[in-house]
Amino acid sequence: MALLEIQNLCVNVEEKQVLQGVNLSINPGETHVLMGPNGAGKSTLGNAIMGNPVYTVTDGKIFFDGQDLTEEKTDARAKAGLFLSFQNPLEVQGISVEAFIRSALQQKTGERVKLFQFQKELKSCMELLSMDEAYAKRDLNVGFSGGERKKSEILQLLMLKPRLAILDETDSGLDVDAVRTVSKGIEEYRRKENGGLLIITHSTKILESLHVDYAHILVKGKIVKTGDASLVQEINEKGFDEYLK
C-alpha cells in the first residue's frame, strides 16, 4: 500500500485554480522530487497535502496510509505522520526551539515527553546539524539567519520522526556548506526512519548527496513528466523550456 496517494487533485487559491488533476503515489522509504518553474503550483501541492485552509480542494482525494485525509484538519494530518517544512519559516516569539519541539512531540504522541531522553536526543541532532546548543533556548527562528532557520526545520524533522516529510525549497538561500549540512540531516532521517520524502525545489543542489527514486515536473498545475533521477540531471542541463511549450 502506498504511504501517500493523491488522486486527481484540483486545488484553488481564492478563485484561481492552481492544481489541475494531480496524481502522485509515494511508498515508504522513497524519495520523490517535484520540480518546475516558479508559479507552477509546487508549494500549493505541499500546502494542500498538509491541509492549509487557504488552499481549497475542489476535486480529487488525498489518502495517507489508506486513510482519506482530504477533509481532515492540519493537526490531524500532523498526528497521522505528515510533516511540512516551510519555504520561509516563521518567527515565533516567546517559545523556545526546545519547548516548541517538545510540545509538538507531546501533541503528536499524546504522551508525556521524558525530559532527560528528549534533551539527549535533541543535543545529538543539533550536533549532527552543526548547531550551537544555545539555539535550543532561543525563541523559535527569532533573529535566525536563513540558514539557521532551515537547520531548525530539519532539527524538527529529526526529532518529530514523521512518516512522510514534505520539504519546500529547503535549499533556498543556503550557501554550499549549509546545503551539505541540511542534506546530511535529511539523509539521516531517511536512514533511521525509512520515511517517505517529497522534496519540492526549482534548484537541484540539495539533491547532489541524496538518493532520488522519482522526479516529477510540474507545469501550470499539472505533472507533465515523471522519471527517475536522470530527469533531475536533464533539468540541470536543459531547464524547463521543453515543457513550457
Side-chain angles (χ1 to χ4, degrees), residues 34-38 42 87 169 171-172 200-204 235 240:
L34 184 67
M35 300 179 293
N38 290 332
K42 302 185 301 295
Q87 189 170 344
E169 302 287 1
D171 54 350
S172 176
I200 299 170
T201 185
H202 65 264
S203 169
T204 57
I235 296 302
F240 297 109

Side-chain angles (χ1 to χ4, degrees), residues 1-181:
M1 179 187 295
L3 184 58
L4 178 71
E5 186 77 41
I6 297 173
Q7 300 175 355
N8 191 42
L9 191 67
C10 299
V11 175
N12 282 14
V13 179
E14 296 179 345
E15 298 302 316
K16 181 182 179 182
Q17 186 175 28
V18 180
L19 296 183
Q20 306 177 50
V22 171
N23 294 285
L24 180 66
S25 181
I26 300 177
N27 293 316
E30 289 182 348
T31 295
H32 289 239
V33 175
L34 184 67
M35 300 179 293
N38 290 332
K42 302 185 301 295
S43 293
T44 295
L45 179 59
N47 278 281
I49 294 170
M50 203 66 215
N52 186 328
V54 173
Y55 301 82
T56 304
V57 175
T58 59
D59 197 10
K61 294 287 186 181
I62 300 170
F63 292 94
F64 186 66
D65 199 21
Q67 179 184 357
D68 186 351
L69 294 184
T70 312
E71 303 296 330
E72 294 288 350
K73 293 183 178 180
T74 300
D75 63 338
R77 301 183 194 212
K79 288 177 182 177
L82 282 168
F83 175 93
L84 172 65
S85 75
F86 294 99
Q87 189 170 344
N88 298 299
L90 298 174
E91 294 185 358
V92 181
Q93 297 274 0
I95 182 168
S96 69
V97 171
E98 179 178 350
F100 178 83
I101 295 174
R102 191 179 177 198
S103 176
L105 268 173
Q106 289 182 167
Q107 289 292 321
K108 179 187 174 187
T109 63
E111 300 175 358
R112 182 175 174 273
V113 174
K114 295 179 180 177
L115 184 58
F116 176 77
Q117 184 60 37
F118 168 80
Q119 291 181 330
K120 180 181 178 183
E121 187 171 357
L122 184 68
K123 179 181 178 181
S124 175
C125 290
M126 293 184 79
E127 287 176 354
L128 178 74
L129 296 171
S130 302
M131 294 180 72
D132 191 310
E133 287 182 47
Y135 279 93
K137 304 298 182 183
R138 290 178 58 179
D139 286 0
L140 183 64
N141 294 329
V142 176
F144 285 22
S145 68
E148 289 164 348
R149 291 186 183 209
K150 297 302 176 72
K151 285 184 182 181
S152 174
E153 293 272 279
I154 301 304
L155 178 64
Q156 294 168 43
L157 169 69
L158 292 171
M159 292 297 294
L160 293 173
K161 304 178 179 66
R163 300 182 64 201
L164 176 72
I166 304 164
L167 307 181
D168 188 3
E169 302 287 1
T170 301
D171 54 350
S172 176
L174 299 185
D175 61 28
V176 173
D177 290 336
V179 167
R180 287 198 189 101
T181 301

